[in-house]
Amino acid sequence: MFYQSILVNLDIERPVEPITEAAVDLASRSGARLIGLCAAGTLAERMEEARATFLHLAANRIEAEWRGETMAPTAAVVAAARVADLVLMAAGDRADPATVVLRAGRPLLVVGSDCDTIATRKIVIGWKDTREARRAIADALPLLSVAYDVAVVSVSPEPAPAERQSLSDIVSYLARHNVKARPQMIKSADETIGFLQFVDESDADIVVTGAYGHSRLREWVFGGITGLLLEENTRTRFLSC
């Protein structure tokens, strides 16, 4: 199982080489077509520089397509996501990852600051038996299938039998997709602290979670693990909802 088409957002206000290199590398490993997207109201000269850099780095390595848009970056990413299986963006982009993951209808991989490769050796999955977590795991299967260490982590103050059973079930589900994963039940009073401590100690390359939020006065508010992962810039994280 592979991604066939990947969309990468290039922020005109930042160096585009690191995220382009990371996207080209992932696309080449997947055999995917890569679509480079850059959106801005003006700055035509800088957009042309981004286009030239993207096409130069992709040349003779992958099938590539360029899209330049004169609109807000977040709206451009959401609109263009219809052509992709996966959306990539760099941490700190002007495009808002929370809006993208909610509205794009595609999984989002946010690459840690200044990374020019996307390592897939160690992946940690945050698990709770919700629609968002189930969707994230299914969407992440192409990445999980090439990892050599996958941990499925559930955190609870007092793990109940149903929680242990759902953790066992999802590990079995992954095994049927040729992903060898290990279950990790963590007893912690604070779900967020317990999970992120495990992530740090495991030296994970990618963190996979569902994107959990709720609507308040027409705005989506994210809390807990999702909120922290959306805000920080160091980890590479995979989000879906």
Side-chain angles (χ1 to χ4, degrees):
M1 175 182 256
F2 297 100
Y3 300 118
Q4 298 300 317
S5 185
I6 298 173
L7 174 73
V8 58
N9 182 57
L10 306 179
D11 189 338
I12 203 169
E13 300 291 346
R14 304 176 49 166
V16 300
E17 289 87 353
I19 187 63
T20 301
E21 283 284 11
V24 168
D25 177 61
L26 182 62
S28 66
R29 283 186 274 154
S30 302
R33 171 171 160 265
L34 182 64
I35 303 143
L37 171 68
C38 186
T42 54
L43 303 173
E45 182 178 346
R46 294 178 70 176
M47 188 178 289
E48 175 57 28
E49 291 174 359
R51 186 192 73 85
T53 299
F54 171 79
L55 293 176
H56 171 71
L57 293 175
N60 302 317
R61 297 170 67 186
I62 55 166
E63 179 186 352
E65 174 188 334
W66 172 257
R67 295 191 176 198
E69 302 287 352
T70 53
M71 61 192 297
T74 301
V77 174
V78 170
R82 61 178 170 259
V83 300
D85 299 312
L86 176 68
V87 177
L88 259 66
M89 59 189 295
D93 271 7
R94 287 179 304 140
D96 175 36
T99 302
V100 171
V101 76
L102 282 172
R103 297 182 180 174
R106 297 292 189 269
L108 173 66
L109 185 61
V110 183
V111 181
S113 300
D114 300 322
C115 291
D116 59 6
T117 58
I118 299 171
T120 56
R121 300 165 304 127
K122 295 184 177 182
I123 299 179
V124 171
I125 301 170
W127 171 251
K128 60 171 64 177
D129 196 9
T130 64
R131 181 186 67 82
E132 293 87 348
R134 296 178 186 188
R135 183 71 265 159
I137 289 173
D139 288 341
L141 281 172
L143 298 176
L144 297 170
S145 66
V146 297
Y148 76 78
D149 183 10
V150 177
V152 186
V153 181
S154 182
V155 185
S156 175
E158 292 292 339
E163 291 174 303
R164 296 185 184 279
Q165 182 63 54
S166 74
L167 181 60
S168 175
D169 284 346
I170 204 64
V171 169
S172 296
Y173 166 83
L174 288 168
R176 287 191 290 273
H177 288 272
N178 297 315
V179 176
K180 186 177 181 180
R182 53 190 173 91
Q184 187 73 44
M185 177 62 75
I186 297 175
K187 185 175 180 179
S188 174
D190 189 302
E191 178 188 52
T192 302
I193 292 175
F195 178 71
L196 293 180
Q197 183 177 4
F198 180 89
V199 170
D200 289 339
E201 291 174 353
S202 68
D203 192 30
D205 297 312
I206 300 174
V207 181
V208 174
T209 67
Y212 309 101
H214 64 275
S215 180
R216 185 176 69 194
L217 298 178
R218 298 183 182 179
E219 293 184 356
W220 274 84
V221 180
F222 292 95
I225 293 169
T226 303
L228 286 176
L229 290 176
L230 285 169
E231 291 171 3
E232 63 99 45
N233 291 334
T234 56
R235 296 181 179 91
T236 295
R237 58 268 194 203
F238 183 103
L239 298 157
S240 185
C241 62

